[in-house]
Amino acid sequence: MTEDPFVTHRSLLFTVAYEMLGSAADAEDVVQETWLRWAGIGDARRAEVHEPRAYLVRIVTRQALNRLRTLARQREDYVGEWLPEPLLTSPDVADDVELAESVSIAMLTVLQTLGPAERAVFVLREVFDVPYEEIAEAVGKSSSAVRQIAHRARQHVAARRPRMAVSRTEQQQVVERFLAALTTGDVQGLLDVLAPDVVLVADGGGLAPAALRPVEGSDRVLALLSRFARVAPRAQVATMLINGAVAARIGPAGELFDTAVAFVIEDGRITRLYAIRNPHKLERLSTVAQLRR
């Protein structure tokens, strides 16, 4: 029996929605809405769809764009900085360099600075290599307009995206050095692993203590992190693969894993830290996400 195309492409549809929305919970809702529309056209019409993958991507893109309009209003009232929901990922995702970069917390944060249409066009074209004509159908614009949007979006992202050419081995080494210095209160060790222009962005969502604005510069970041060993002497830390890269989970005061930290590493030093503390965004970190291009 032939597998239903929706089942075949479900991981792809989730990945498209997640990259556009930055939220696994919202992406799951969008995928479910896509299934309802796919199922709702009936067996006869589904049999007439010659390219189910393109058809389903078109539906999920439209549903994600609709969801973005709703989320835009909600995020205006969000307390502090908003960061994407982190996902536990398999080594296969990390090994796929292009996929790992596209779902990294750093890249998803950059994508949030694009408008909805620009975000959709960029994700479909640059990550999934969808033809311009199919993108045009998905976003309701002409092919020429989509090409212009893609050009602007590429320029926007290129000016803001971090360099990601760091091996997993180097990521692991740098993150382990950071955690060792953090948990022992080693100020010099922290200075050695943090870049001078490091930026720390935290997301507590008003539900957990977190800096409301980015903390910039090694001196200010160090002032914040150097207190950690005293404040949380029984902290438990672990490294894991989050969004295709080596990251950390930190559970102060013996309570496991109430913070997920993603990193941008350049030239052996940390240039950005993304600390996700909103408990609603940490609920899925016990299950490996199925991401696919």
Side-chain angles (χ1 to χ4, degrees):
M1 182 176 178
T2 304
E3 186 175 59
D4 187 288
F6 177 86
V7 176
T8 302
H9 300 300
R10 193 186 191 288
S11 295
L12 166 70
L13 300 176
F14 174 81
T15 308
V16 171
Y18 174 66
E19 292 202 22
M20 287 181 61
L21 300 169
S23 162
D26 289 305
E28 287 285 6
D29 288 345
V30 163
V31 171
Q32 181 62 23
E33 291 164 2
T34 301
W35 159 247
L36 292 174
R37 281 159 176 74
W38 171 250
I41 66 174
D43 292 341
R45 283 196 59 195
R46 283 199 299 274
E48 295 173 356
V49 176
H50 298 299
E51 296 184 15
R53 180 182 185 274
Y55 186 91
L56 289 165
V57 167
R58 185 160 64 247
I59 297 176
V60 83
T61 300
R62 289 174 179 170
Q63 295 306 312
L65 285 170
N66 291 338
R67 182 59 62 95
L68 277 174
R69 297 184 184 99
T70 302
L71 292 176
R73 292 189 290 272
Q74 294 177 359
R75 289 176 187 174
E76 287 177 359
D77 300 324
Y78 196 81
V79 178
E81 295 292 318
W82 187 95
L83 288 173
E85 180 181 351
L87 295 178
L88 181 64
T89 49
S90 66
D92 290 345
V93 174
D95 292 339
D96 185 334
V97 176
E98 291 185 4
L99 178 59
E101 179 181 3
S102 72
V103 299
S104 70
I105 295 295
M107 177 58 80
L108 294 178
T109 302
V110 171
L111 291 181
Q112 297 302 311
T113 65
L114 290 170
E118 290 178 316
R119 198 180 313 173
V121 169
F122 182 88
V123 168
L124 294 178
R125 183 62 187 171
E126 299 303 312
V127 181
F128 299 98
D129 199 28
V130 176
Y132 287 114
E133 293 73 18
E134 291 181 18
I135 298 174
E137 285 190 53
V139 301
K141 297 183 181 295
S142 68
S143 295
S144 59
V146 164
R147 290 176 184 273
Q148 293 175 353
I149 292 171
H151 178 70
R152 290 198 304 269
R154 277 194 296 270
Q155 289 184 320
H156 180 95
V157 171
R160 294 163 177 79
R161 76 195 309 170
R163 291 193 297 116
M164 301 296 290
V166 179
S167 70
R168 199 191 317 171
T169 299
E170 182 179 351
Q171 292 175 23
Q172 186 75 34
Q173 291 172 345
V174 172
V175 172
E176 287 181 353
R177 285 171 53 207
F178 168 79
L179 292 176
L182 179 72
T183 54
T184 60
D186 180 358
V187 174
Q188 187 58 52
L190 285 170
L191 276 174
D192 290 343
V193 79
L194 297 174
D197 57 350
V198 64
V199 178
L200 185 154
V201 183
D203 175 352
L207 302 173
L212 295 178
R213 295 180 179 81
V215 180
E216 301 180 352
S218 58
D219 289 345
R220 295 183 65 195
V221 173
L222 180 63
L224 186 66
L225 297 180
S226 62
R227 301 195 300 267
F228 181 85
R230 297 193 302 275
V231 174
R234 293 182 294 125
Q236 299 187 40
V237 301
T239 61
M240 60 198 320
L241 290 175
I242 291 179
N243 289 64
V246 178
R249 293 190 70 176
I250 304 173
E255 296 180 10
L256 273 175
F257 303 158
D258 69 351
T259 305
V261 186
F263 304 88
V264 175
I265 297 168
E266 298 182 19
D267 299 322
R269 305 180 88 175
I270 296 168
T271 58
R272 279 191 176 261
L273 302 95
Y274 298 99
I276 299 106
R277 308 205 68 223
N278 183 334
H280 295 318
K281 295 186 178 183
L282 303 177
E283 294 173 349
R284 295 170 182 266
L285 285 180
S286 59
T287 305
V288 176
Q290 300 300 313
L291 301 176
R292 187 166 70 88
R293 283 198 297 149

